[in-house]
């Protein structure tokens, strides 16, 4: 038994190391001197400790703080709204007394098979909804994903109708049933959706790049991406015309690593937070047997 | 229950229709009719400097006074630039766009994405028409029609070669580099003595272009554009520029790839040359490379300046392959008016201001004096004391040879190399004005690209067991990919171009 546990620990440690070591290398790389990284590659401990990469990013501190705020807002509001609307839709579709549920489900499903394509999508959002450069453009297009709706729908199907009926007999109204009885039961499913949605919002740069043209409204990922582009842009310009800007000696490789660390930020906390609900979901299943 | 649903649907439908009608109405009112100053938008590349409000303050003051308009620049993200550019063109979102041969100018113009300005430019903006040489206008025509205002500053990117650390060459007593064999001698002397130094490198973007450096193989050849020279497709200069040949059939090509194989086997070439992602500039700067192949003259002054700042004791030199040095073609970069713009004449007048008025040009090209750049007594641009986030980073494509200023902080040998050699030897490209139309051969070109990556790139990097056999294989693959159809199409277009040009005379 002890041997078994020891092997178990060893295997777990091994996989944990595979996950953690790249992260440590990223951290130490971002704290290293750029030339050393280019010369000898990445290492577990920083070579020639240097804060140059972070200093280079500090130039953009105002922009970074602003975009951090926007990204947090988008993630929190976006995830909250997504959860609310997705669970509401999924719940309605799971109710057997909703007679159009199959037709509506098909309507939602249909959009996963055929889409209008990027141009009509872009035109609807910019020319009809007038959302270009608005905060909501970062949230609205991703609010309702068919996959998530069906996830909720199928999860809630397992809840017996009699539960809803008895609540109604006790005098509960529809929204009360949804809010007080169905939602608490759907926690594991909602935690999954919340995790994916929050990560999606946090890492999203595409919506910013398509719909936001005012730099003060960029999300974090897009700001960082732009800083990187800036460096390349200067190089290109310099090559083109002999223009030099004094930026040639700025670190690039280590800045990338420092950026990756900055963007990781609070996201690492999402999973431990949501994990509680995953475990809960598993135990619910086991009791049901 | 059913009735309730029907009613709800009807109410919702009415709400949606009313909403869209009212919002459209609001939009029209916003754009036309009222006394508001029209705002022209222009898609550009680059990034927004953090003090852009100063730039707009100045620009608004000038454009309101002179033209009664305001102009706003919208930067397209460079990662996804082609998609977003096409998206903007399709929806007709902006009034003005950057364009150029490298942004599919000809294809977009033929698809009516841009406004044709052949006559308009002469009648509406005669000063603009007079400011740009006739050669440039003629060279920018597509099927006899004009769609763009070409940049007149030119790249000299056709001159390519091997850039190396000259301080290492003198340190190890190697003779001056004047041929490919000298390059090998240089690497042979340096590599064993400099630990950590990798062999021959090339930047990821330009590593597959040995054949494109046609002067390198010493052949009398002329690039036809469209990236076809990468596959070895060129025309010969000595004839009438209408027949296409493949460099791969030339005995010199076999000589070069055989030499490359020897180099690779000998360890003179970096083993990562095909897969490495590190930029040649970064490797050179870190001191892990002694020289880079497949570079062009622009790297020379960029690296020169970089090393002057970071490693003052280093010297770099360039061995230029051959002496053919063309100016880039007209319309390589340009600005255009969108086909759906509501203010075509105002756009044109704005372009005219930028290209004929020093104040406009300086503002659009370098930003606000004192905030984005300083001007030296000699009239040169100095950005040394400008904070990095305030550097003017819009890439607006106005380049005018007469108005562009020199940079104060340039490589100490820039004038000698650029003015003294590159500029002095630059010739007009004999195919200036030829716009390759790839629409009928796009499938074949995609197949060629695959073959190039899979078979030609390794061969040219020297990764081959038997160059003779592999070259034969490569030719067969290109035949299968449709090289004959491409040659046919190309010759047809070159003949049509020759006839068109003859008709102008």
């Amino acid at each position: 038994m002890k041997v078994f546990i020891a092997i178990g620990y060893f295997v777990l440690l091994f996989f944990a190391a595979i996950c953690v070591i790249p992260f440590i290398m990223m951290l130490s790389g971002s704290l290293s001197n750029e030339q050393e990284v280019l010369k000898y590659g990445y290492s577990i401990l920083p070579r020639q400790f240097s804060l140059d990469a972070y200093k280079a990013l500090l130039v953009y501190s105002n922009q970074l703080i602003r975009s951090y705020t926007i990204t947090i807002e988008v993630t929190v509001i976006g995830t909250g709204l997504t959860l609310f609307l997705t669970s509401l839709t999924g719940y309605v579709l799971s109710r057997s007394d909703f007679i159009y549920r199959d037709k509506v489900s098909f309507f939602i499903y249909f959009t996963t098979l055929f889409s209008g394509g990027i141009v009509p999508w872009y035109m609807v959002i910019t020319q009809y909804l007038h959302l270009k450069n608005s905060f909501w453009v970062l949230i609205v297009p991703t609010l309702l994903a068919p996959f998530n709706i069906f996830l909720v729908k199928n999860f809630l199907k397992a809840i017996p109708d009699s539960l809803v009926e008895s609540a109604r007999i006790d005098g509960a109204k529809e929204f009360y049933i949804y809010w007080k009885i169905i939602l608490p039961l759907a926690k594991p499913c909602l935690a999954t959706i919340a995790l994916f949605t929050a990560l999606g919002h946090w890492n999203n740069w595409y919506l910013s790049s398509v719909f936001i043209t005012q730099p003060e409204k960029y999300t974090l990922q897009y700001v960082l991406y732009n800083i990187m582009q800036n460096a390349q842009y200067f190089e290109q310009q310099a090559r083109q015309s002999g223009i030099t800007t004094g930026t040639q000696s700025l670190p690039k490789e280590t800045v990338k690593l420092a950026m990756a660390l900055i963007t990781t930020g609070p996201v690492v906390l999402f999973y431990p937070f949501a994990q509680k609900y995953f475990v809960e979901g598993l135990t619910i299943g086991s009791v049901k047997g | 229950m059913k009735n309730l649903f029907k009613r709800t649907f009807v109410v919702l439908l009415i709400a949606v229709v009313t909403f869209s009608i009212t919002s459209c109405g609001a939009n029209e009112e916003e754009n036309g009719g009222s006394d508001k100053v029209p705002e022209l938008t222009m898609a550009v590349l680059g990034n927004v400097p953090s003090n852009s409000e100063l730039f707009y303050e100045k620009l608004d003051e000038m454009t309101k006074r002179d033209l009664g308009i305001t102009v706003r620049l919208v930067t397209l993200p460079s990662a996804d630039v082609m998609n977003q550019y096409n998206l903007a063109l399709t929806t007709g979102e902006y009034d003005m766009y950057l364009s150029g041969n490298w942004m599919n100018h000809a294809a977009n113009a033929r698809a009516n994405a841009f406004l044709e300005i052949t006559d308009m430019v002469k009648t509406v903006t005669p000063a603009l028409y007079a400011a740009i040489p006739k050669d440039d206008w003629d060279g920018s025509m597509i099927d006899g029609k004009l769609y763009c205002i070409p940049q007149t500053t030119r790249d000299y990117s056709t001159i390519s070669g091997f850039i190396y650390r000259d301080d290492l060459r003198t340190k190890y007593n190697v003779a001056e580099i004047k041929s490919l064999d000298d390059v090998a001698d240089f690497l042979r002397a340096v590599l064993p003595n400099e630990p950590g130094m990798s062999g021959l490198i090339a930047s990821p973007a330009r590593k597959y272009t040995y054949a494109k450096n046609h002067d390198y193989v010493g052949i009398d050849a002329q690039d036809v554009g469209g990236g076809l020279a990468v596959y070895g497709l060129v025309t010969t200069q000595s004839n009438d520029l209408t027949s296409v040949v493949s460099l791969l059939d030339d005995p010199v090509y076999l000589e070069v790839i055989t030499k490359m194989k020897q180099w690779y086997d000998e360890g003179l070439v970096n083993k990562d040359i095909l897969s490495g992602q590190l930029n040649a500039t970064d490797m050179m700067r870190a001191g892990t490379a002694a020289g880079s192949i497949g570079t062009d003259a622009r790297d020379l002054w960029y690296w020169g300046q970089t090393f002057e700042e970071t490693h003052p004791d280093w010297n770099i030199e360039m061995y230029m392959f051959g002496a053919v040095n063309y100016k880039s073609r007209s319309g390589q970069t340009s600005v255009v008016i969108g086909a759906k713009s509501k203010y075509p004449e105002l756009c044109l007048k704005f372009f005219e201001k930028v290209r004929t008025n020093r104040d406009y040009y300086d503002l659009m090209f370098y930003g606000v004096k004192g905030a984005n750049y300083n001007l030296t007594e000699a009239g040169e641009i100095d950005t040394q004391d400008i904070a990095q986030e305030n550097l003017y980073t819009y890439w607006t494509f106005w380049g005018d040879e007469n108005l562009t200023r020199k940079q104060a902080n340039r490589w100490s040998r820039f004038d000698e190399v650029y003015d003294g050699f590159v500029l002095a030897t630059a010739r007009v490209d004999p195919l200036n004005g030829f716009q390759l139309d790839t629409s009928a051969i796009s499938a074949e070109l995609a197949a060629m690209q695959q073959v190039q990556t899979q078979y030609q790139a390794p061969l040219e990097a020297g990764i081959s067991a038997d160059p003779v056999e592999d070259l034969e294989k490569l030719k067969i693959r290109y035949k299968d990919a449709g090289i004959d159809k491409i040659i046919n199409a190309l010759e047809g277009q070159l003949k049509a171009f020759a006839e068109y040009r003859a008709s102008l005379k």
Side-chain angles (χ1 to χ4, degrees):
Chain A
M1 192 61 188
K2 270 188 180 166
V3 177
F4 180 72
I5 290 175
I7 294 175
Y9 270 113
F10 178 77
V11 171
L12 282 179
L13 272 177
F14 177 73
F15 282 107
I18 290 182
C19 298
V20 172
I21 286 175
F23 195 80
I24 295 176
M25 286 176 131
M26 195 164 85
L27 177 68
S28 80
S30 74
L31 294 168
S32 300
N33 179 300
E34 160 108 339
Q35 301 303 311
E36 298 294 309
V37 171
L38 284 174
K39 235 176 186 158
Y40 304 107
Y42 303 120
S43 58
I44 302 275
L45 289 175
R47 282 177 210 276
Q48 263 201 21
F49 184 82
S50 143
L51 288 172
D52 283 354
Y54 292 94
K55 276 185 203 149
L57 283 180
L58 211 63
V59 172
Y60 302 94
S61 56
N62 281 340
Q63 216 181 351
L64 282 176
I65 292 168
R66 204 166 42 214
S67 65
Y68 232 108
T69 323
I70 293 175
T71 308
I72 290 173
E73 280 169 7
V74 168
T75 308
V76 172
I77 299 175
T79 309
L81 278 177
T82 302
L83 282 184
F84 179 64
L85 290 176
T86 309
S87 60
L88 209 54
T89 319
Y91 171 56
V92 170
L93 291 178
S94 77
R95 285 278 295 265
S96 52
D97 49 346
F98 174 43
I99 45 172
Y100 294 108
R101 65 182 185 282
D102 289 340
K103 288 191 180 88
V104 175
S105 295
F106 178 76
F107 186 71
I108 294 171
Y109 171 65
F110 187 78
T111 62
T112 62
L113 300 177
F114 302 98
S115 80
I118 185 171
V119 175
W121 176 65
Y122 182 81
M123 286 172 81
V124 165
I125 289 176
T126 56
Q127 294 174 12
Y128 293 91
L129 299 175
H130 299 291
L131 284 178
K132 190 154 192 180
N133 281 325
S134 113
F135 173 76
W136 293 101
V137 81
L138 300 171
I139 292 176
V140 173
T142 58
L143 267 185
L144 278 168
F147 178 80
N148 290 343
I149 294 175
F150 290 117
L151 199 70
V152 176
K153 180 190 163 189
N154 291 329
F155 189 87
L156 294 183
K157 257 189 183 165
I159 296 172
D161 287 347
S162 50
L163 197 66
V164 178
E165 272 167 36
S166 51
R168 201 177 292 149
I169 292 166
D170 285 344
K173 292 274 187 307
E174 287 296 349
F175 192 78
Y176 187 86
I177 296 173
Y178 156 75
W179 192 254
K180 287 283 180 183
I181 294 171
I182 302 298
L183 275 195
L185 287 172
K187 267 185 196 165
C189 167
L190 294 183
T192 314
I193 297 176
L195 184 71
F196 288 145
T197 316
L199 278 179
H201 276 303
W202 188 265
N203 290 327
N204 197 327
W205 61 271
Y206 185 70
L207 288 174
S208 264
S209 82
V210 178
F211 294 115
I212 307 282
T213 52
Q214 297 163 351
E216 66 274 13
K217 292 178 181 168
Y218 286 167
T219 50
L220 181 65
Q221 303 285 351
Y222 195 56
V223 164
L224 291 172
Y225 164 76
N226 264 307
I227 293 174
M228 215 52 238
Q229 286 300 315
N230 238 339
Q232 276 168 24
Y233 165 81
F234 286 130
E235 179 172 337
Q236 228 162 353
Q237 268 236 325
R239 294 179 65 247
Q240 211 80 26
S241 54
I243 293 177
T244 48
T245 49
T247 52
Q248 280 102 323
S249 46
L250 287 176
K252 271 188 288 183
E253 282 303 307
T254 52
V255 164
K256 276 186 212 163
L257 301 174
M259 273 187 203
L261 270 176
I262 289 179
T263 47
T264 311
V267 184
V268 282
L269 302 176
F270 286 168
Y271 190 77
F273 176 74
Q275 200 180 24
K276 195 173 102 191
Y277 298 99
F278 292 138
V279 176
E280 204 172 282
L282 290 175
T283 40
I284 287 175
S286 68
V287 172
K288 269 186 197 159
Chain B
M1 192 72 179
K2 254 190 175 175
N3 271 341
L4 182 72
F5 264 106
K6 270 190 182 167
R7 250 181 278 161
T8 325
F9 267 118
V10 170
V11 170
L12 272 176
L13 203 66
I14 293 174
V16 169
V17 171
T18 332
F19 174 72
S20 30
I21 289 173
T22 46
S23 50
C24 286
N27 199 22
E28 269 161 28
E29 206 175 317
E30 205 175 296
N31 290 332
S34 70
D35 300 334
K36 261 181 83 179
V37 176
E39 182 176 292
L40 273 53
T41 48
M42 177 170 186
V44 297
L45 284 184
N47 292 296
V48 184
S50 73
N51 57 2
S52 61
E53 70 284 351
L54 290 174
F55 166 76
Y56 282 121
E57 207 175 282
K58 188 110 183 68
L59 182 65
D60 285 352
E61 182 197 315
M62 288 157 68
T63 51
K64 276 184 194 162
R65 180 192 64 209
D66 298 334
L67 303 165
I69 56 169
T70 57
V71 175
R72 286 293 172 273
L73 304 179
V74 182
T75 56
L76 300 176
S78 17
D80 199 27
V81 65
M82 284 323 284
N83 278 332
Q84 308 244 350
Y85 182 69
N86 291 338
L87 196 60
L89 284 182
T90 314
T91 52
E93 202 170 356
Y94 307 117
D95 296 296
M96 300 167 273
Y97 299 85
L98 58 109
S99 189
N101 296 346
W102 54 280
M103 292 199 89
N104 296 333
H105 177 76
N108 285 329
R110 285 180 179 126
N112 295 324
F114 308 139
L115 186 78
E116 193 206 322
I117 51 170
T118 324
D119 298 319
M120 227 170 111
V121 71
K122 294 175 202 162
T123 51
V124 179
T125 51
L128 175 65
Y129 188 71
I132 293 174
K134 190 169 180 305
D135 272 356
D136 281 307
W137 289 121
D138 287 347
S140 310
M141 295 266 189
I142 291 165
D143 308 330
K145 293 176 188 164
L146 185 71
Y147 296 90
C148 70
I149 320 293
Q151 196 172 283
T152 50
T153 46
R154 303 277 181 80
D155 277 352
Y156 300 90
S157 50
T158 47
I159 188 154
S160 57
F162 174 68
I163 299 186
Y164 58 96
R165 290 263 305 277
D166 199 45
D167 53 301
L168 291 176
R169 185 187 65 80
T170 42
K171 183 175 169 190
Y172 296 108
N173 282 325
V174 186
E176 220 172 298
I177 298 181
K178 283 179 175 158
S179 70
L180 271 187
D181 293 329
D182 293 344
V183 173
D185 287 342
F186 167 74
L187 293 169
R188 276 185 202 115
V190 172
L191 294 183
N193 294 311
E194 295 280 328
M197 193 77 91
S198 91
L200 198 62
I201 55 161
S203 268
R206 277 176 289 150
K207 63 175 58 152
Y208 305 129
T209 54
Y210 290 87
K212 191 175 180 239
N213 302 323
H214 39 78
D215 320 325
Y216 168 120
V217 281
I219 300 171
D220 172 30
Q222 168 61 38
D223 192 341
V224 285
L228 292 180
V230 174
Y231 314 123
L233 290 180
V234 292
T235 89
T236 48
Q237 285 173 43
S238 35
N239 65 18
D240 57 354
L241 290 171
T242 56
S243 43
V244 175
V245 292
S246 169
L247 282 182
L248 307 189
D249 294 329
D250 198 292
V252 181
Y253 186 77
L254 182 62
E255 253 172 56
V256 171
I257 55 173
T258 313
K259 196 169 278 177
M260 283 299 151
K261 178 186 156 47
Q262 282 164 9
W263 288 19
Y264 190 82
D265 294 346
E266 210 184 317
L268 301 181
V269 178
N270 186 352
K271 298 285 176 215
D272 281 348
I273 191 159
L274 290 185
S275 59
Q277 288 303 312
L278 273 183
N279 190 304
T281 313
D282 292 337
M283 287 182 76
M284 291 286 281
R285 200 177 61 196
T288 54
S292 171
I293 203 158
T295 45
D296 59 52
R298 292 173 297 182
D299 283 318
L300 182 62
W301 45 81
Y302 177 59
W303 292 358
Q305 169 65 24
T306 307
F307 298 154
E308 247 166 32
E309 266 180 29
T310 53
H311 303 280
D313 51 328
W314 291 5
N315 287 320
I316 61 161
E317 267 301 342
M318 180 172 182
Y319 157 54
M320 300 193 189
F321 301 148
V324 181
N325 170 23
Y326 293 126
K327 290 178 171 191
S328 62
R329 293 182 188 167
S330 305
Q332 182 63 26
T333 36
S334 60
V335 288
V336 296
I337 300 171
K340 292 179 187 158
S341 170
K342 287 186 186 137
Y343 312 104
E345 296 202 354
L346 286 173
C347 291
L348 211 49
K349 282 181 179 158
F350 176 65
F351 287 153
E352 181 178 50
K353 279 282 173 210
V354 177
R355 294 295 287 270
T356 54
N357 182 308
R358 168 54 78 190
D359 293 341
Y360 273 87
Y361 189 82
D362 280 351
L363 183 67
M364 294 307 295
F365 213 75
Y366 306 108
V368 179
K369 192 170 147 188
N372 301 115
Y373 71 95
N374 292 312
L375 212 55
T376 63
E377 276 176 17
E380 295 174 345
I381 301 291
D382 184 3
T383 49
Q384 289 286 64
D385 300 328
I386 304 293
Q388 196 195 338
E389 71 270 26
N390 288 339
L391 288 172
Y392 183 81
T393 49
Y394 289 121
W395 210 354
T396 46
F397 303 101
W398 313 104
D400 194 294
E401 214 150 39
N402 300 323
L403 295 168
T404 298
R405 294 176 185 276
K406 274 204 162 146
Q407 298 291 319
N409 178 36
R410 55 188 182 270
W411 183 36
S412 56
R413 288 178 54 207
F414 182 80
D415 291 355
E416 168 204 336
V417 174
Y418 186 78
D419 295 349
F421 178 77
V422 178
L423 214 54
T425 59
R427 285 189 269 152
V428 173
D429 190 321
L431 278 174
N432 191 25
F434 175 66
Q435 307 277 358
L436 181 68
D437 183 356
T438 56
S439 53
I441 45 170
S442 54
E444 285 75 15
L445 284 176
M448 295 281 284
Q449 163 85 53
Q450 292 276 331
V451 176
Q452 201 274 338
T453 316
Q454 205 180 338
Y455 296 93
Q456 192 180 352
L459 194 59
E460 292 182 357
I463 310 170
S464 158
D466 180 357
V468 180
E469 196 184 312
D470 285 347
L471 179 60
E472 281 317 305
K473 259 191 223 159
L474 173 66
K475 287 182 191 167
I476 293 169
R477 298 282 171 187
Y478 272 150
K479 265 224 155 25
D480 295 345
I483 197 169
D484 293 332
K485 189 177 169 192
I486 294 175
I487 292 178
N488 268 337
L490 197 53
E491 288 187 336
Q493 291 185 33
L494 285 167
K495 279 196 184 93
F497 176 71
E499 281 162 19
Y500 164 70
R501 221 167 30 181
S503 74
L504 288 181
K505 280 173 190 165

